[in-house]
Amino acid sequence: QVQLVESGGGLVQAGGSLRLSCEAFGHTFSKINMGWFRQAPGKEREFVAAIRYSATRTYYGDSVKGRFTISRDNAKNTGYLQMNSLKPEDTAVYYCAADDRRWDPPLKKDDYDYWGKGTQVTVSS
């Protein structure tokens, strides 16, 4: 079992930055792949970014490439999502997710077994 706790959300103006954190409990963090997803009201949960357990590979959704950076610190059992050049359309609840079954991190939400409760990010225009 993996428990995930997100933090770092908030209200920011367009063009600003935020860094989200996701701390994991109950599992050897260095053995789990991690992903970030987001869900805006009335929309499907969308893939944002993912990172392999070893941090040797990262993946990004098209809408955030070049603006967001996913990283992890296995010594701190924590993953991060650095979000720069934020836009109003980035407004959503952001969730971190964990997978302990695959070599590469999944890019589909249905392939993740563990989820945090989410943190709200609101970008004002």
Side-chain angles (χ1 to χ4, degrees):
Q1 289 289 331
V2 182
Q3 292 81 46
L4 303 170
V5 179
E6 303 99 335
S7 61
L11 174 64
V12 64
Q13 288 189 332
S17 299
L18 281 175
R19 188 176 80 156
L20 304 183
S21 298
C22 175
E23 188 172 6
F25 302 87
H27 199 294
T28 304
F29 186 67
S30 60
K31 294 184 179 180
I32 62 174
N33 297 311
M34 195 182 74
W36 286 95
F37 290 76
R38 66 186 183 186
Q39 189 165 17
K43 293 190 176 182
E44 291 282 321
R45 192 167 295 191
E46 173 191 20
F47 170 73
V48 175
I51 187 167
R52 190 187 261 187
Y53 62 94
S54 59
T56 51
R57 280 198 170 184
T58 57
Y59 303 85
Y60 295 94
D62 288 341
S63 60
V64 306
K65 280 180 183 176
R67 300 188 298 123
F68 291 11
T69 302
I70 189 171
S71 62
R72 63 192 295 158
D73 185 340
N74 287 348
K76 295 183 178 180
N77 292 344
T78 302
Y80 304 97
L81 185 68
Q82 178 66 44
M83 305 185 296
N84 298 330
S85 302
L86 282 161
K87 305 175 182 179
E89 50 264 44
D90 294 318
T91 295
V93 177
Y94 283 71
Y95 299 89
C96 70
D99 158 70
D100 61 359
R101 295 186 284 134
R102 295 170 177 82
W103 183 254
D104 275 321
L107 305 186
K108 298 179 180 179
K109 62 182 187 297
D110 292 343
D111 290 336
Y112 282 89
D113 295 322
Y114 307 104
W115 291 85
K117 293 184 178 180
T119 185
Q120 176 71 46
V121 171
T122 303
V123 184
S124 62
S125 56

mmCIF file with all atom_site columns, all heavy atoms in Angstrom, residues 20-38:
data_model
loop_
_atom_site.group_PDB
_atom_site.id
_atom_site.type_symbol
_atom_site.label_atom_id
_atom_site.label_alt_id
_atom_site.label_comp_id
_atom_site.label_asym_id
_atom_site.label_entity_id
_atom_site.label_seq_id
_atom_site.pdbx_PDB_ins_code
_atom_site.Cartn_x
_atom_site.Cartn_y
_atom_site.Cartn_z
_atom_site.occupancy
_atom_site.B_iso_or_equiv
_atom_site.pdbx_formal_charge
_atom_site.auth_seq_id
_atom_site.auth_comp_id
_atom_site.auth_asym_id
_atom_site.auth_atom_id
_atom_site.pdbx_PDB_model_num
ATOM 1   N N   . LEU A 1 20 ? 4.354  21.921 -6.678  1.00 0.00 ? 20 LEU A N   1
ATOM 2   C CA  . LEU A 1 20 ? 3.582  20.934 -5.938  1.00 0.00 ? 20 LEU A CA  1
ATOM 3   C C   . LEU A 1 20 ? 4.516  19.851 -5.421  1.00 0.00 ? 20 LEU A C   1
ATOM 4   O O   . LEU A 1 20 ? 5.505  19.497 -6.068  1.00 0.00 ? 20 LEU A O   1
ATOM 5   C CB  . LEU A 1 20 ? 2.516  20.306 -6.833  1.00 0.00 ? 20 LEU A CB  1
ATOM 6   C CG  . LEU A 1 20 ? 1.535  21.260 -7.516  1.00 0.00 ? 20 LEU A CG  1
ATOM 7   C CD1 . LEU A 1 20 ? 0.497  20.463 -8.305  1.00 0.00 ? 20 LEU A CD1 1
ATOM 8   C CD2 . LEU A 1 20 ? 0.885  22.192 -6.544  1.00 0.00 ? 20 LEU A CD2 1
ATOM 9   N N   . SER A 1 21 ? 4.154  19.325 -4.246  1.00 0.00 ? 21 SER A N   1
ATOM 10  C CA  . SER A 1 21 ? 4.907  18.217 -3.668  1.00 0.00 ? 21 SER A CA  1
ATOM 11  C C   . SER A 1 21 ? 3.969  17.047 -3.434  1.00 0.00 ? 21 SER A C   1
ATOM 12  O O   . SER A 1 21 ? 2.769  17.234 -3.211  1.00 0.00 ? 21 SER A O   1
ATOM 13  C CB  . SER A 1 21 ? 5.536  18.628 -2.332  1.00 0.00 ? 21 SER A CB  1
ATOM 14  O OG  . SER A 1 21 ? 6.441  19.684 -2.497  1.00 0.00 ? 21 SER A OG  1
ATOM 15  N N   . CYS A 1 22 ? 4.533  15.862 -3.475  1.00 0.00 ? 22 CYS A N   1
ATOM 16  C CA  . CYS A 1 22 ? 3.767  14.649 -3.201  1.00 0.00 ? 22 CYS A CA  1
ATOM 17  C C   . CYS A 1 22 ? 4.637  13.740 -2.349  1.00 0.00 ? 22 CYS A C   1
ATOM 18  O O   . CYS A 1 22 ? 5.641  13.207 -2.843  1.00 0.00 ? 22 CYS A O   1
ATOM 19  C CB  . CYS A 1 22 ? 3.382  13.969 -4.503  1.00 0.00 ? 22 CYS A CB  1
ATOM 20  S SG  . CYS A 1 22 ? 2.549  12.377 -4.265  1.00 0.00 ? 22 CYS A SG  1
ATOM 21  N N   . GLU A 1 23 ? 4.279  13.591 -1.089  1.00 0.00 ? 23 GLU A N   1
ATOM 22  C CA  . GLU A 1 23 ? 5.035  12.737 -0.191  1.00 0.00 ? 23 GLU A CA  1
ATOM 23  C C   . GLU A 1 23 ? 4.370  11.372 -0.117  1.00 0.00 ? 23 GLU A C   1
ATOM 24  O O   . GLU A 1 23 ? 3.155  11.274 -0.011  1.00 0.00 ? 23 GLU A O   1
ATOM 25  C CB  . GLU A 1 23 ? 5.142  13.356 1.194   1.00 0.00 ? 23 GLU A CB  1
ATOM 26  C CG  . GLU A 1 23 ? 6.079  12.595 2.109   1.00 0.00 ? 23 GLU A CG  1
ATOM 27  C CD  . GLU A 1 23 ? 6.352  13.304 3.428   1.00 0.00 ? 23 GLU A CD  1
ATOM 28  O OE1 . GLU A 1 23 ? 5.716  14.342 3.694   1.00 0.00 ? 23 GLU A OE1 1
ATOM 29  O OE2 . GLU A 1 23 ? 7.203  12.791 4.192   1.00 0.00 ? 23 GLU A OE2 1
ATOM 30  N N   . ALA A 1 24 ? 5.191  10.340 -0.174  1.00 0.00 ? 24 ALA A N   1
ATOM 31  C CA  . ALA A 1 24 ? 4.692  8.970  -0.172  1.00 0.00 ? 24 ALA A CA  1
ATOM 32  C C   . ALA A 1 24 ? 5.019  8.283  1.144   1.00 0.00 ? 24 ALA A C   1
ATOM 33  O O   . ALA A 1 24 ? 6.097  8.484  1.720   1.00 0.00 ? 24 ALA A O   1
ATOM 34  C CB  . ALA A 1 24 ? 5.310  8.193  -1.322  1.00 0.00 ? 24 ALA A CB  1
ATOM 35  N N   . PHE A 1 25 ? 4.082  7.459  1.584   1.00 0.00 ? 25 PHE A N   1
ATOM 36  C CA  . PHE A 1 25 ? 4.235  6.699  2.821   1.00 0.00 ? 25 PHE A CA  1
ATOM 37  C C   . PHE A 1 25 ? 3.875  5.244  2.554   1.00 0.00 ? 25 PHE A C   1
ATOM 38  O O   . PHE A 1 25 ? 3.032  4.944  1.711   1.00 0.00 ? 25 PHE A O   1
ATOM 39  C CB  . PHE A 1 25 ? 3.300  7.251  3.910   1.00 0.00 ? 25 PHE A CB  1
ATOM 40  C CG  . PHE A 1 25 ? 3.501  8.698  4.229   1.00 0.00 ? 25 PHE A CG  1
ATOM 41  C CD1 . PHE A 1 25 ? 2.842  9.680  3.511   1.00 0.00 ? 25 PHE A CD1 1
ATOM 42  C CD2 . PHE A 1 25 ? 4.356  9.072  5.250   1.00 0.00 ? 25 PHE A CD2 1
ATOM 43  C CE1 . PHE A 1 25 ? 3.021  11.024 3.797   1.00 0.00 ? 25 PHE A CE1 1
ATOM 44  C CE2 . PHE A 1 25 ? 4.550  10.417 5.548   1.00 0.00 ? 25 PHE A CE2 1
ATOM 45  C CZ  . PHE A 1 25 ? 3.881  11.385 4.826   1.00 0.00 ? 25 PHE A CZ  1
ATOM 46  N N   . GLY A 1 26 ? 4.530  4.358  3.277   1.00 0.00 ? 26 GLY A N   1
ATOM 47  C CA  . GLY A 1 26 ? 4.110  2.971  3.265   1.00 0.00 ? 26 GLY A CA  1
ATOM 48  C C   . GLY A 1 26 ? 4.718  2.093  2.200   1.00 0.00 ? 26 GLY A C   1
ATOM 49  O O   . GLY A 1 26 ? 4.298  0.945  2.033   1.00 0.00 ? 26 GLY A O   1
ATOM 50  N N   . HIS A 1 27 ? 5.685  2.624  1.461   1.00 0.00 ? 27 HIS A N   1
ATOM 51  C CA  . HIS A 1 27 ? 6.307  1.825  0.398   1.00 0.00 ? 27 HIS A CA  1
ATOM 52  C C   . HIS A 1 27 ? 7.710  2.360  0.178   1.00 0.00 ? 27 HIS A C   1
ATOM 53  O O   . HIS A 1 27 ? 7.991  3.527  0.489   1.00 0.00 ? 27 HIS A O   1
ATOM 54  C CB  . HIS A 1 27 ? 5.489  1.952  -0.887  1.00 0.00 ? 27 HIS A CB  1
ATOM 55  C CG  . HIS A 1 27 ? 5.744  0.870  -1.898  1.00 0.00 ? 27 HIS A CG  1
ATOM 56  N ND1 . HIS A 1 27 ? 6.954  0.700  -2.542  1.00 0.00 ? 27 HIS A ND1 1
ATOM 57  C CD2 . HIS A 1 27 ? 4.944  -0.091 -2.383  1.00 0.00 ? 27 HIS A CD2 1
ATOM 58  C CE1 . HIS A 1 27 ? 6.869  -0.315 -3.361  1.00 0.00 ? 27 HIS A CE1 1
ATOM 59  N NE2 . HIS A 1 27 ? 5.656  -0.810 -3.292  1.00 0.00 ? 27 HIS A NE2 1
ATOM 60  N N   . THR A 1 28 ? 8.567  1.528  -0.358  1.00 0.00 ? 28 THR A N   1
ATOM 61  C CA  . THR A 1 28 ? 9.897  1.999  -0.725  1.00 0.00 ? 28 THR A CA  1
ATOM 62  C C   . THR A 1 28 ? 9.765  2.939  -1.919  1.00 0.00 ? 28 THR A C   1
ATOM 63  O O   . THR A 1 28 ? 9.503  2.506  -3.043  1.00 0.00 ? 28 THR A O   1
ATOM 64  C CB  . THR A 1 28 ? 10.819 0.823  -1.077  1.00 0.00 ? 28 THR A CB  1
ATOM 65  O OG1 . THR A 1 28 ? 10.857 -0.074 0.024   1.00 0.00 ? 28 THR A OG1 1
ATOM 66  C CG2 . THR A 1 28 ? 12.207 1.328  -1.400  1.00 0.00 ? 28 THR A CG2 1
ATOM 67  N N   . PHE A 1 29 ? 9.933  4.228  -1.665  1.00 0.00 ? 29 PHE A N   1
ATOM 68  C CA  . PHE A 1 29 ? 9.631  5.232  -2.686  1.00 0.00 ? 29 PHE A CA  1
ATOM 69  C C   . PHE A 1 29 ? 10.461 5.048  -3.940  1.00 0.00 ? 29 PHE A C   1
ATOM 70  O O   . PHE A 1 29 ? 9.997  5.287  -5.057  1.00 0.00 ? 29 PHE A O   1
ATOM 71  C CB  . PHE A 1 29 ? 9.859  6.627  -2.100  1.00 0.00 ? 29 PHE A CB  1
ATOM 72  C CG  . PHE A 1 29 ? 9.453  7.753  -3.012  1.00 0.00 ? 29 PHE A CG  1
ATOM 73  C CD1 . PHE A 1 29 ? 8.117  7.947  -3.319  1.00 0.00 ? 29 PHE A CD1 1
ATOM 74  C CD2 . PHE A 1 29 ? 10.395 8.614  -3.558  1.00 0.00 ? 29 PHE A CD2 1
ATOM 75  C CE1 . PHE A 1 29 ? 7.729  8.983  -4.167  1.00 0.00 ? 29 PHE A CE1 1
ATOM 76  C CE2 . PHE A 1 29 ? 10.026 9.647  -4.395  1.00 0.00 ? 29 PHE A CE2 1
ATOM 77  C CZ  . PHE A 1 29 ? 8.681  9.837  -4.696  1.00 0.00 ? 29 PHE A CZ  1
ATOM 78  N N   . SER A 1 30 ? 11.690 4.603  -3.778  1.00 0.00 ? 30 SER A N   1
ATOM 79  C CA  . SER A 1 30 ? 12.584 4.462  -4.927  1.00 0.00 ? 30 SER A CA  1
ATOM 80  C C   . SER A 1 30 ? 12.167 3.335  -5.867  1.00 0.00 ? 30 SER A C   1
ATOM 81  O O   . SER A 1 30 ? 12.767 3.173  -6.930  1.00 0.00 ? 30 SER A O   1
ATOM 82  C CB  . SER A 1 30 ? 14.016 4.224  -4.447  1.00 0.00 ? 30 SER A CB  1
ATOM 83  O OG  . SER A 1 30 ? 14.079 3.045  -3.681  1.00 0.00 ? 30 SER A OG  1
ATOM 84  N N   . LYS A 1 31 ? 11.132 2.581  -5.488  1.00 0.00 ? 31 LYS A N   1
ATOM 85  C CA  . LYS A 1 31 ? 10.665 1.482  -6.339  1.00 0.00 ? 31 LYS A CA  1
ATOM 86  C C   . LYS A 1 31 ? 9.340  1.780  -7.015  1.00 0.00 ? 31 LYS A C   1
ATOM 87  O O   . LYS A 1 31 ? 8.768  0.897  -7.677  1.00 0.00 ? 31 LYS A O   1
ATOM 88  C CB  . LYS A 1 31 ? 10.549 0.196  -5.518  1.00 0.00 ? 31 LYS A CB  1
ATOM 89  C CG  . LYS A 1 31 ? 11.885 -0.316 -5.015  1.00 0.00 ? 31 LYS A CG  1
ATOM 90  C CD  . LYS A 1 31 ? 11.727 -1.638 -4.286  1.00 0.00 ? 31 LYS A CD  1
ATOM 91  C CE  . LYS A 1 31 ? 13.085 -2.163 -3.812  1.00 0.00 ? 31 LYS A CE  1
ATOM 92  N NZ  . LYS A 1 31 ? 12.942 -3.457 -3.090  1.00 0.00 ? 31 LYS A NZ  1
ATOM 93  N N   . ILE A 1 32 ? 8.812  2.978  -6.849  1.00 0.00 ? 32 ILE A N   1
ATOM 94  C CA  . ILE A 1 32 ? 7.520  3.292  -7.447  1.00 0.00 ? 32 ILE A CA  1
ATOM 95  C C   . ILE A 1 32 ? 7.642  4.390  -8.493  1.00 0.00 ? 32 ILE A C   1
ATOM 96  O O   . ILE A 1 32 ? 8.373  5.359  -8.331  1.00 0.00 ? 32 ILE A O   1
ATOM 97  C CB  . ILE A 1 32 ? 6.469  3.683  -6.388  1.00 0.00 ? 32 ILE A CB  1
ATOM 98  C CG1 . ILE A 1 32 ? 6.875  4.946  -5.619  1.00 0.00 ? 32 ILE A CG1 1
ATOM 99  C CG2 . ILE A 1 32 ? 6.201  2.545  -5.441  1.00 0.00 ? 32 ILE A CG2 1
ATOM 100 C CD1 . ILE A 1 32 ? 5.786  5.431  -4.676  1.00 0.00 ? 32 ILE A CD1 1
ATOM 101 N N   . ASN A 1 33 ? 6.939  4.193  -9.597  1.00 0.00 ? 33 ASN A N   1
ATOM 102 C CA  . ASN A 1 33 ? 6.785  5.252  -10.585 1.00 0.00 ? 33 ASN A CA  1
ATOM 103 C C   . ASN A 1 33 ? 5.758  6.253  -10.071 1.00 0.00 ? 33 ASN A C   1
ATOM 104 O O   . ASN A 1 33 ? 4.838  5.894  -9.332  1.00 0.00 ? 33 ASN A O   1
ATOM 105 C CB  . ASN A 1 33 ? 6.279  4.674  -11.910 1.00 0.00 ? 33 ASN A CB  1
ATOM 106 C CG  . ASN A 1 33 ? 7.260  3.705  -12.535 1.00 0.00 ? 33 ASN A CG  1
ATOM 107 O OD1 . ASN A 1 33 ? 8.440  4.009  -12.658 1.00 0.00 ? 33 ASN A OD1 1
ATOM 108 N ND2 . ASN A 1 33 ? 6.763  2.543  -12.901 1.00 0.00 ? 33 ASN A ND2 1
ATOM 109 N N   . MET A 1 34 ? 5.894  7.488  -10.482 1.00 0.00 ? 34 MET A N   1
ATOM 110 C CA  . MET A 1 34 ? 4.985  8.510  -10.021 1.00 0.00 ? 34 MET A CA  1
ATOM 111 C C   . MET A 1 34 ? 4.460  9.348  -11.168 1.00 0.00 ? 34 MET A C   1
ATOM 112 O O   . MET A 1 34 ? 5.190  9.644  -12.121 1.00 0.00 ? 34 MET A O   1
ATOM 113 C CB  . MET A 1 34 ? 5.681  9.441  -9.032  1.00 0.00 ? 34 MET A CB  1
ATOM 114 C CG  . MET A 1 34 ? 4.724  10.301 -8.235  1.00 0.00 ? 34 MET A CG  1
ATOM 115 S SD  . MET A 1 34 ? 5.602  11.406 -7.139  1.00 0.00 ? 34 MET A SD  1
ATOM 116 C CE  . MET A 1 34 ? 6.218  12.568 -8.326  1.00 0.00 ? 34 MET A CE  1
ATOM 117 N N   . GLY A 1 35 ? 3.193  9.701  -11.064 1.00 0.00 ? 35 GLY A N   1
ATOM 118 C CA  . GLY A 1 35 ? 2.587  10.546 -12.086 1.00 0.00 ? 35 GLY A CA  1
ATOM 119 C C   . GLY A 1 35 ? 1.802  11.681 -11.463 1.00 0.00 ? 35 GLY A C   1
ATOM 120 O O   . GLY A 1 35 ? 1.436  11.635 -10.289 1.00 0.00 ? 35 GLY A O   1
ATOM 121 N N   . TRP A 1 36 ? 1.576  12.717 -12.254 1.00 0.00 ? 36 TRP A N   1
ATOM 122 C CA  . TRP A 1 36 ? 0.704  13.824 -11.885 1.00 0.00 ? 36 TRP A CA  1
ATOM 123 C C   . TRP A 1 36 ? -0.413 13.912 -12.918 1.00 0.00 ? 36 TRP A C   1
ATOM 124 O O   . TRP A 1 36 ? -0.159 13.840 -14.123 1.00 0.00 ? 36 TRP A O   1
ATOM 125 C CB  . TRP A 1 36 ? 1.461  15.145 -11.849 1.00 0.00 ? 36 TRP A CB  1
ATOM 126 C CG  . TRP A 1 36 ? 2.375  15.322 -10.682 1.00 0.00 ? 36 TRP A CG  1
ATOM 127 C CD1 . TRP A 1 36 ? 3.707  15.055 -10.638 1.00 0.00 ? 36 TRP A CD1 1
ATOM 128 C CD2 . TRP A 1 36 ? 2.029  15.820 -9.388  1.00 0.00 ? 36 TRP A CD2 1
ATOM 129 N NE1 . TRP A 1 36 ? 4.208  15.347 -9.392  1.00 0.00 ? 36 TRP A NE1 1
ATOM 130 C CE2 . TRP A 1 36 ? 3.197  15.829 -8.609  1.00 0.00 ? 36 TRP A CE2 1
ATOM 131 C CE3 . TRP A 1 36 ? 0.838  16.279 -8.800  1.00 0.00 ? 36 TRP A CE3 1
ATOM 132 C CZ2 . TRP A 1 36 ? 3.219  16.259 -7.285  1.00 0.00 ? 36 TRP A CZ2 1
ATOM 133 C CZ3 . TRP A 1 36 ? 0.857  16.703 -7.490  1.00 0.00 ? 36 TRP A CZ3 1
ATOM 134 C CH2 . TRP A 1 36 ? 2.039  16.692 -6.741  1.00 0.00 ? 36 TRP A CH2 1
ATOM 135 N N   . PHE A 1 37 ? -1.620 14.091 -12.422 1.00 0.00 ? 37 PHE A N   1
ATOM 136 C CA  . PHE A 1 37 ? -2.796 14.280 -13.262 1.00 0.00 ? 37 PHE A CA  1
ATOM 137 C C   . PHE A 1 37 ? -3.533 15.512 -12.753 1.00 0.00 ? 37 PHE A C   1
ATOM 138 O O   . PHE A 1 37 ? -3.294 15.973 -11.637 1.00 0.00 ? 37 PHE A O   1
ATOM 139 C CB  . PHE A 1 37 ? -3.717 13.061 -13.187 1.00 0.00 ? 37 PHE A CB  1
ATOM 140 C CG  . PHE A 1 37 ? -3.157 11.845 -13.857 1.00 0.00 ? 37 PHE A CG  1
ATOM 141 C CD1 . PHE A 1 37 ? -2.148 11.100 -13.259 1.00 0.00 ? 37 PHE A CD1 1
ATOM 142 C CD2 . PHE A 1 37 ? -3.626 11.438 -15.098 1.00 0.00 ? 37 PHE A CD2 1
ATOM 143 C CE1 . PHE A 1 37 ? -1.619 9.982  -13.878 1.00 0.00 ? 37 PHE A CE1 1
ATOM 144 C CE2 . PHE A 1 37 ? -3.117 10.318 -15.729 1.00 0.00 ? 37 PHE A CE2 1
ATOM 145 C CZ  . PHE A 1 37 ? -2.110 9.586  -15.117 1.00 0.00 ? 37 PHE A CZ  1
ATOM 146 N N   . ARG A 1 38 ? -4.438 16.013 -13.567 1.00 0.00 ? 38 ARG A N   1
ATOM 147 C CA  . ARG A 1 38 ? -5.260 17.132 -13.118 1.00 0.00 ? 38 ARG A CA  1
ATOM 148 C C   . ARG A 1 38 ? -6.671 16.979 -13.646 1.00 0.00 ? 38 ARG A C   1
ATOM 149 O O   . ARG A 1 38 ? -6.900 16.334 -14.678 1.00 0.00 ? 38 ARG A O   1
ATOM 150 C CB  . ARG A 1 38 ? -4.673 18.466 -13.575 1.00 0.00 ? 38 ARG A CB  1
ATOM 151 C CG  . ARG A 1 38 ? -4.671 18.677 -15.082 1.00 0.00 ? 38 ARG A CG  1
ATOM 152 C CD  . ARG A 1 38 ? -3.929 19.964 -15.420 1.00 0.00 ? 38 ARG A CD  1
ATOM 153 N NE  . ARG A 1 38 ? -3.961 20.240 -16.853 1.00 0.00 ? 38 ARG A NE  1
ATOM 154 C CZ  . ARG A 1 38 ? -3.289 21.232 -17.429 1.00 0.00 ? 38 ARG A CZ  1
ATOM 155 N NH1 . ARG A 1 38 ? -2.502 22.035 -16.710 1.00 0.00 ? 38 ARG A NH1 1
ATOM 156 N NH2 . ARG A 1 38 ? -3.380 21.427 -18.732 1.00 0.00 ? 38 ARG A NH2 1
#
